[in-house]
Amino acid sequence: MDHKIKPQEMSVFPIGESNDLFAKHFSGQSYLKMLSTEQVVIGNVTFEPGCRNHWHIHHSERGGGQILLVTAGEGWYQEWAREPKKLKAGDIVHILAGVKHWHGAAANTPFQHLAIEVPGENCTTEWCEPVSDREYKNLEKEG
């Protein structure tokens, strides 16, 4: 693997391969290593500096949503029509089903989190528009 990110800069969890399956829903380069696909789905997502996913919504008829456990670097999390939150290693984000949001790396540092899918009924993810470069650059100036 030829990563721009040095493994020693990240957490104890492996970076994984290029996140090609979901690349169309990201601005920038990300990597994915599935840690668990049994009982509870857990993926280790690594973002190169400036990489972020598009706005998206985790839908569920009951339960569902996502929990992010930040393990390395610095990043951002934002819910629709709310102020962005700067994230660092050790932060935990609880995302309820039905909440439009995005998350990703800060401009100058890689970022890594464990994405835990909260079990629910008939869970799906709706991918929406990208976070614009202008929106992203503005929050980086504020942060």
Side-chain angles (χ1 to χ4, degrees):
M1 291 185 293
D2 183 25
H3 297 304
K4 293 180 186 175
I5 299 172
K6 298 175 186 166
Q8 65 270 23
E9 292 175 351
M10 299 281 81
S11 71
V12 297
F13 297 103
I15 291 172
E17 299 296 325
S18 180
N19 191 5
D20 296 337
L21 183 61
F22 294 97
K24 66 183 177 182
H25 305 297
F26 283 72
S27 297
Q29 180 64 53
S30 67
Y31 305 90
L32 177 63
K33 174 67 175 176
M34 294 308 299
L35 303 177
S36 173
T37 56
E38 297 176 23
Q39 293 179 290
V40 176
V41 176
I42 304 171
N44 183 37
V45 185
T46 304
F47 301 76
E48 287 188 356
C51 177
R52 66 250 182 215
N53 54 32
H54 296 183
W55 289 97
H56 59 287
I57 305 166
H58 303 284
H59 294 286
S60 179
E61 290 179 11
R62 184 179 315 161
Q66 188 177 53
I67 300 170
L68 306 178
L69 303 178
V70 180
T71 57
E74 292 182 358
W76 292 98
Y77 169 76
Q78 185 176 17
E79 293 179 0
W80 189 257
R82 298 196 132 180
E83 292 296 314
K85 296 179 185 177
K86 190 83 170 201
L87 300 176
K88 63 185 181 330
D91 287 341
I92 300 169
V93 180
H94 294 268
I95 307 164
L96 298 175
V99 174
K100 187 173 181 178
H101 67 282
W102 70 271
H103 36 100
N108 297 314
T109 180
F111 178 64
Q112 189 176 71
H113 65 57
L114 302 182
I116 302 168
E117 291 183 24
V118 177
E121 293 179 13
N122 298 318
C123 296
T124 60
T125 300
E126 175 187 356
W127 290 99
C128 306
E129 70 275 11
V131 176
S132 75
D133 289 341
R134 191 181 89 207
E135 288 175 294
Y136 183 77
K137 287 176 184 171
N138 283 340
L139 70 88
E140 283 292 335
K141 289 177 189 173
E142 296 169 14

